[in-house]
Amino acid sequence: MFEGLQMFSEALMGFLNPKNIFDVLWATQLGIIVGMLPGLTATMGVALMTTLTFKMATENAVIILVCMYIGAIYGGSRSAILLNIPGTPANAATAVDGYPLAKQGRAGEAIGISTTGSFLGSVIGMFMLAFFTPLIGNFALKFQSYEFFWLSIFGIVICGNLTAPKDPLKGWIAGFLGLFVSTIGMENMHAFKRFSFGWHALTGGISLLPAMVGAFGFAEIIMVMKFPKYEVVKTKIERVVPRVKDVLKYWKTIIRSGIVGTFIGAVPGVGEDIAAWVSYDLARRSSKHPEEYGKGSIEGLISAETGNNACVAGAMIPVLSLAIPGSAPAAVLLAAMFIHGVRPGPLIMIEFPSFIYQVVAMVLLATTAMLILGLSMVKSLVKVLTIPRQKLMPIVFVLCVVGSFALQARLFDVGVMITFGIIGYYMREMEYPVAPLVLGIILGSILDPNLRRALIISDGSLAPFFTRPISLVVFLITLLTILSKMKWFQRLISSVVQGVKVVFKR
Amino acid sequence: MKESNMARADFVTSIFLTPFGLFILIVSLNMPRFEEHNVNPYSVPGILPAFLGAIITFLGLVLFIRSIRQRGYKLGIGKRAVIGFFRDQSSRRIFLTLIISLLYGLVFLGRIPFYLATGLFVFAFVLIFEYQFKESFASQRKKVLIALIMSILVSGIVTAVFRYVFLVNLP
């Protein structure tokens, strides 16, 4: 505990120098702008920044990425409030109450409340990041190949369930296709080229970053260009800084949304959009004024924004402790850490214990910068939203191209980006979530060696997958996650519950 | 998308997905097992892909059966529907975006200098979506000029910043 505090204060002091503060400020501001602009998502922002910072020192690069991530998730609330178009998917729930507030002439108040909610959400998430990461990391040291196998499958299943709640089948399909994509190229054990069919460029496999830039960047460009223009609400932005009593009034909602957001963030691949919706839904259910939701409820707005920003820190918990991303931007962050030679995962507690607290200090700095920048320069930044999409999108595409090419200097990766952009667009149109696809590409690299290693250790026996205690628990949770979506199972459970109630009433 | 349209879309997707899963399974089962090298049979490269191929086939079949139950096989693709699709403004905008982006990313890059390809791409993109072909050129000179200035600025700034500030390789 005290050792952790000491490492945290050392990390924080280390970052408090003019160069780092300057980096924090510009990266957070850029993140806010990226988040604000429909068509530019947090994932794409972090992915592009990864390619731009890969020649920097590890701490400098990661702090820039964390600032971009936090700034972008917050920044999306601006366009959600003023355009009714969430700047990032994470801010969809923000638009439900933020836009009606803007139409009532309370845009400044809505921006101020969303900024404060995002700040408080990040702070709650930060505390939980500092507390839970070492705990999970230490526990994960007991994991062997069997557990990692089930954890990867669980990641795909839960991510599919939560990102496609209406039709989880599509989420699972996306996830397993992602796992398949990860098997393309040369495998590690025998250097056999899988699914490359003699195409030399494919032997290197499909790199995560170009695929993500395509699925989240180019696909979004196509979606945005589908329609001609968006209308900015014409409203005066007056007081932005909220009154303390206005915020304190909702302390229960803030704490609940912060905790819920962080926990959802920690679930593999699920991400900020789900965190915001779940926080919003819980706030509405426990509200004294649920009828105001959707018509400009401050409580609804603060719950959504607290939830999505708490999720950012939550998504970093499995990144650091298990090397499994909690969200799509966190997946890029994970890839960036590998690029910089930090190996997140259970061994981080042994190899780089101070890195966890460095990340916590980074989150604190980024969150503070977000609060300061979020409450200032509001009027001037709103002008960015008036840039016509046909002028902005070609620049975004150029950045997608440069970002895909930069890491390995291969034109093949530009092709990968474009291909995944078209696939991502098709998936959105057909209501397939993109997040499980990306998570599959990452988890495939964990699944493949662990499945084979487990089978070698057990000499082909499947029994240890179901008899080892942790493995059995993860398997049962995975099975329940799948069954929970089956109608016959839901009917069975409800009849069992009814039966139990009848027995107790007697 | 409407529910009936989604059932049709799911039907088409499942027709591609199920054979694709089978293809993965067959290719995986035919991957080498390196018996001549006396390797452990559980370390062979086809294990995970075969497992995934089987699951994708199964999920594709579930999608297929579900779409059949929802009458998704009644595709209703006629001449009118196809013409309507191509005449739709959103479809046109998507095709235009795709054509310009693909030309830039897959044809021009690597064949002509980056700054030139980028300049041409930005100029074409802005102009295609802003220029009204029904109006006279004289009334739209400003649009052309802005597109030109923008293309020069974007291409120059991106090339300079990425190459000299971020020290990044450019195509």
Side-chain angles (χ1 to χ4, degrees), chain A residues 218-237:
Chain A
F218 185 39
E220 196 67 37
I221 293 173
I222 305 171
M223 287 299 279
V224 168
M225 287 311 296
K226 192 174 171 184
F227 303 106
K229 60 178 180 180
Y230 35 71
E231 299 288 337
V232 180
V233 178
K234 283 181 183 157
T235 176
K236 275 190 180 174
I237 296 173

Side-chain angles (χ1 to χ4, degrees), chain A residues 112-127:
Chain A
I113 286 288
S114 72
T115 310
T116 320
S118 299
F119 172 75
L120 295 170
S122 268
V123 170
I124 294 170
M126 185 191 74
F127 278 113

Side-chain angles (χ1 to χ4, degrees), chain A residues 52 55 167 170 190 192 194 225-226 390-391 394 397 401-402 405-406 418 425-426 430-432 452 460, chain B residues 6 9-10 13 32 42-45 63 66 93-94 97 102 104 109 130 150 162 166-168 170-171:
Chain A
L52 296 183
K55 288 193 178 166
D167 194 356
K170 293 188 174 179
H190 304 290
F192 177 72
R194 294 188 290 206
M225 287 311 296
K226 192 174 171 184
Q390 64 272 18
K391 289 200 173 79
F397 186 71
V401 166
V402 176
F405 182 83
I418 290 175
Y425 170 73
Y426 172 81
M430 300 294 146
E431 295 178 8
Y432 286 82
R452 288 195 272 174
Chain B
M6 190 51 80
D10 286 350
T13 309
Y42 302 109
S43 73
V44 297
L63 192 68
R66 198 181 71 178
R93 291 179 67 90
I94 291 170
T97 308
L102 294 183
Y104 170 58
L109 279 184
E130 289 209 334
M150 212 184 128
F162 282 73
F166 289 110
L167 306 173
V168 161
L170 291 175

Side-chain angles (χ1 to χ4, degrees), chain A residues 27 55 60-61 94 117 142 150 153 184 200 232 241 244 249 270 272 297 365 368 392 415 433 480-481 499:
Chain A
K55 288 193 178 166
N60 294 346
T94 310
K142 293 176 188 157
W150 281 123
I153 299 290
I184 297 173
H200 181 67
V232 180
V241 181
V244 177
K249 211 162 89 180
V270 176
E272 294 79 14
S297 162
L365 289 173
T368 312
L392 188 66
L480 272 177
T481 313

